[in-house]
């Protein structure tokens, strides 16, 4: 499932997610700040992390203030600005 194209400035990274966390759990948490535009829980290499996207920069700022320390399914989440992972360097 590929998300819509959203300006990286409108996204926040969420870490330390419990294994049973769903995008709905993330969306519900995100909506406690403002209406979310998108929420996704990553699997595989990004396991335990996810993203919440908002409609305005103000919503992102508010989420960065209010979400750290919140819990999903009893586990305290981590919150940070969104940064696309740099391309992996070729080993050799």
């Amino acid at each position: 499932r590929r998300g819509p194209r959203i300006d990286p400035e409108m996204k926040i990274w969420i870490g330390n997610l419990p294994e049973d966390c769903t995008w709905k759990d993330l969306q519900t948490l995100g909506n406690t700040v403002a209406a979310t535009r998108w929420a996704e829980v990553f699997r595989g290499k990004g396991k335990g992390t996810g993203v919440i996207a908002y409609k305005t920069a103000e919503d992102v700022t508010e989420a960065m203030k209010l979400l750290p320390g919140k819990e999903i399914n009893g586990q305290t989440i981590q919150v940070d600005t969104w940064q696309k992972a740099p391309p992996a360097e070729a080993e050799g």
Side-chain angles (χ1 to χ4, degrees):
R1 177 173 109 155
R2 297 272 319 161
R5 289 192 63 84
I6 297 172
D7 183 340
E9 308 262 314
M10 297 300 138
K11 298 178 183 178
I12 60 171
W13 176 89
I14 307 292
N16 200 39
L17 294 173
E19 276 188 45
D20 60 348
C21 181
T22 67
W23 70 269
K24 275 289 218 197
D25 295 328
L26 213 48
Q27 182 184 54
T28 299
L29 178 71
N31 285 340
T32 64
V33 174
T36 57
R37 182 162 172 214
W38 177 258
E40 183 174 355
V41 174
F42 301 123
R43 303 285 176 222
K45 225 169 48 171
K47 188 175 171 182
T49 66
V51 62
I52 298 174
Y54 289 98
K55 296 175 183 162
T56 69
E58 292 78 19
D59 293 346
V60 171
T61 301
E62 210 48 25
M64 291 295 294
K65 278 192 253 172
L66 298 175
L67 293 181
K70 296 284 187 202
E71 293 184 356
I72 291 182
N73 301 341
Q75 194 159 308
T76 304
I77 62 163
Q78 298 170 340
V79 180
D80 204 349
T81 53
W82 177 259
Q83 294 183 348
K84 198 87 171 128
E89 291 184 29
E91 290 185 29

